[in-house]
Amino acid sequence: MQDAILVTGAGRRVGHALALHLRAQGHPVIGHYHHDNPELDALRSAGITVIRADFTDQASVQALAELVKAQCRSLRAIIHNASAFSATMTANDDALAQFDQFYQVHMRSPFALTRALTGHLRACSKAHADIIHISDIFADKPNPRFDSYCASKAGGQNLALSFAQSLAPKIKVNVIQPGPILFKDWHSAEMKEKVLSETLLGVEGGAEPICLAVSALLANPYQTGAVIAVDGGRRLG
């Protein structure tokens, strides 16, 4: 396999849609996932190689990197999409453990994977390879209820901008900041209504706008170090 695209967090939601979208465009795709679920069958049926790894276990992350290198000769892109999300816990010990989880998933593991797989990105047959971090609009405008989540997303975004400088010119590195793309099951009708009332376009985006933004970054040979909000105008609402 040559010039594959690695999508982390491909087992569900936006990552799942991204993996299928990129495969439909003809790219060889490797999808990372954490937990088994029925949606993985759709990835396998599309010809996507799936690899399990726990991003809170650094030995598992390193094993993922080695398996990716064994599966392909080069990488066209890494989409750092894997994410954990919840409000900050009340009890101090729980909040600290949660902070460690967010740090490992949003910062340490993407950092480790990028460093481990840089050689495969540089071996890409195209003029450029890409790294895309899927961040959050609240990386720039934190919500105190989600303070550790927001901080770790901001840290991952900062790492992306550092990598944009150190890996140029062969590897482009950009950030996408989703807004209200896909609500969680635990979002109440009242919460959804409030969020959408604060969103200029007034609707839940769905995964497609993120897929379109990723495709645009892959196609653009002159864009690196960009932070792109795909949020329906929520950050301005």
Side-chain angles (χ1 to χ4, degrees):
M1 190 188 301
Q2 186 173 1
D3 294 349
I5 297 180
L6 170 63
V7 180
T8 69
R12 59 192 186 94
R13 294 174 59 83
V14 170
H16 186 264
L18 275 171
L20 290 173
H21 172 80
L22 293 166
R23 184 71 191 103
Q25 290 188 324
H27 296 285
V29 176
I30 300 172
H32 151 265
Y33 71 98
H34 185 192
H35 298 293
D36 287 308
N37 68 72
E39 290 184 276
L40 295 173
D41 292 337
L43 300 183
R44 295 186 179 103
S45 296
I48 294 169
T49 300
V50 295
I51 303 174
R52 184 186 180 280
D54 179 357
F55 274 21
T56 66
D57 178 347
Q58 290 312 303
S60 183
V61 173
Q62 189 58 43
L64 170 62
E66 295 305 316
L67 287 169
V68 169
K69 288 190 279 189
Q71 287 286 336
C72 62
R73 296 188 299 276
S74 62
L75 283 170
R76 172 65 183 85
I78 301 173
I79 314 297
H80 288 303
N81 168 75
S83 185
F85 174 72
S86 59
T88 302
M89 294 181 178
T90 303
N92 192 53
D93 288 348
D94 291 340
L96 290 172
Q98 182 187 39
F99 187 94
D100 288 341
Q101 178 197 22
F102 288 149
Y103 163 73
Q104 290 168 330
V105 173
H106 301 149
M107 294 180 65
R108 195 181 196 284
S109 293
F111 178 79
L113 282 174
T114 293
R115 290 176 65 89
L117 296 173
T118 294
H120 267 53
L121 289 163
R122 291 198 185 282
C124 178
S125 67
K126 309 297 183 185
H128 298 286
D130 283 84
I131 298 172
I132 300 173
H133 285 246
I134 308 298
S135 183
D136 194 298
I137 55 172
F138 290 108
D140 292 335
K141 186 181 179 182
N143 182 333
R145 284 190 60 226
F146 301 87
D147 52 7
S148 58
Y149 165 82
C150 295
S152 63
K153 282 291 190 177
Q157 183 171 295
N158 189 273
L159 281 173
L161 299 181
S162 291
F163 278 127
Q165 296 174 76
S166 64
L167 299 180
K170 175 65 176 181
I171 303 169
K172 302 187 286 107
V173 187
N174 293 286
V175 177
I176 293 173
Q177 293 182 329
I181 295 299
L182 291 173
F183 287 112
K184 296 279 191 177
D185 293 339
W186 49 262
H187 281 103
S188 67
E190 292 75 18
M191 291 174 68
K192 292 178 183 179
E193 183 179 355
K194 181 178 186 300
V195 168
L196 294 181
S197 72
E198 297 168 349
T199 302
L200 299 185
L201 297 184
V203 294
E204 181 181 10
E208 184 180 10
I210 304 299
C211 295
L212 293 173
V214 166
S215 291
L217 286 172
L218 295 177
N220 192 332
Y222 202 64
Q223 190 161 29
T224 193
V227 179
I228 302 168
V230 183
D231 68 342
R234 172 82 194 284
R235 70 200 181 284
L236 301 176

